[in-house]
Amino acid sequence: ELYDLAPVGYCTVDEQGLILQANLCAASMLGVTRGALVGKPLLRFIARADHAAYQLHRQHLVENGGPQACELRLLKKDGTPLWVHLAATLAQEGDGAPVLRIVLADLSERKRLDQALQDRNTELTLARQVADKANLAKSEFLSGMSHELRTPLNSILGFAQLMQNSN
């Protein structure tokens, strides 16, 4: 029951990359039945753009022997991508065959929030650029107006001084 009702997806994958076991959460994440996962290659459920990342992850796992983790996109039955944190360890089945024990944690909400934050930062950067341009335009305007006002005022002051000196 702990395996089947866990809040994360669990899969056991053989050396060839075929799914030997999967819990209900893993099946639910992908929008399929558990039977539709067993015997299928895990790579089939990974977005094509993330195949290389998964292969590299798997290679590091085999070379290092210790637990490895990565983030990648799985494809649901309807083709919708689902971001997951995939953590895997090497283990041995009862017959001594090596297998991967994989944990899949849904990252959709975190990725959505990351994207919203990135969008907001982009908006703020654009707003700052607009404000900087407006500030520069204001400075140029005030500088020009100062020059335009000083020129006639200098003439008036000059005449006023001439009139005062002539008295």
Side-chain angles (χ1 to χ4, degrees):
E1 285 183 8
L2 289 174
Y3 181 81
D4 280 335
L5 301 177
V8 293
Y10 289 126
C11 295
T12 302
V13 178
D14 69 9
E15 283 183 295
Q16 290 75 38
L18 300 178
I19 300 171
L20 300 175
Q21 293 178 347
N23 72 347
L24 294 173
C25 186
S28 176
M29 284 176 157
L30 296 168
V32 297
T33 63
R34 195 169 17 181
L37 291 175
V38 176
K40 303 292 187 300
L42 179 61
L43 210 53
R44 176 178 175 183
F45 299 99
I46 297 173
R48 186 167 303 282
D50 293 339
H51 280 195
Y54 173 71
Q55 295 291 14
L56 184 63
H57 165 79
R58 189 178 167 126
Q59 179 183 345
H60 284 216
L61 182 64
V62 171
E63 288 173 0
N64 299 331
Q68 297 290 317
C70 66
E71 292 181 3
L72 50 77
R73 288 163 292 186
L74 298 179
L75 293 177
K76 293 182 179 184
K77 182 180 180 179
D78 63 4
T80 306
L82 172 73
W83 276 100
V84 296
H85 176 84
L86 184 146
T89 58
L90 280 175
Q92 288 187 344
E93 287 286 273
D95 62 0
V99 293
L100 299 178
R101 302 266 192 234
I102 296 175
V103 178
L104 303 169
D106 187 348
L107 296 178
S108 300
E109 184 63 16
R110 193 194 90 200
K111 289 291 186 176
R112 186 188 66 74
L113 292 173
D114 285 348
Q115 185 61 47
L117 181 61
Q118 187 176 10
D119 292 347
R120 187 67 177 144
N121 282 339
T122 301
E123 288 174 19
L124 291 173
T125 299
L126 291 174
R128 173 147 188 180
Q129 289 172 352
V130 168
D132 288 345
K133 282 182 182 180
N135 193 32
L136 180 62
K138 177 192 75 162
S139 294
E140 288 174 357
F141 172 77
L142 290 175
S143 175
M145 284 306 295
S146 174
H147 175 73
E148 293 298 322
L149 288 174
R150 261 183 295 166
T151 302
L153 286 176
N154 283 338
S155 298
I156 293 170
L157 284 172
F159 281 122
Q161 286 174 349
L162 279 174
M163 287 174 46
Q164 187 178 24
N165 289 340
S166 64
N167 286 339

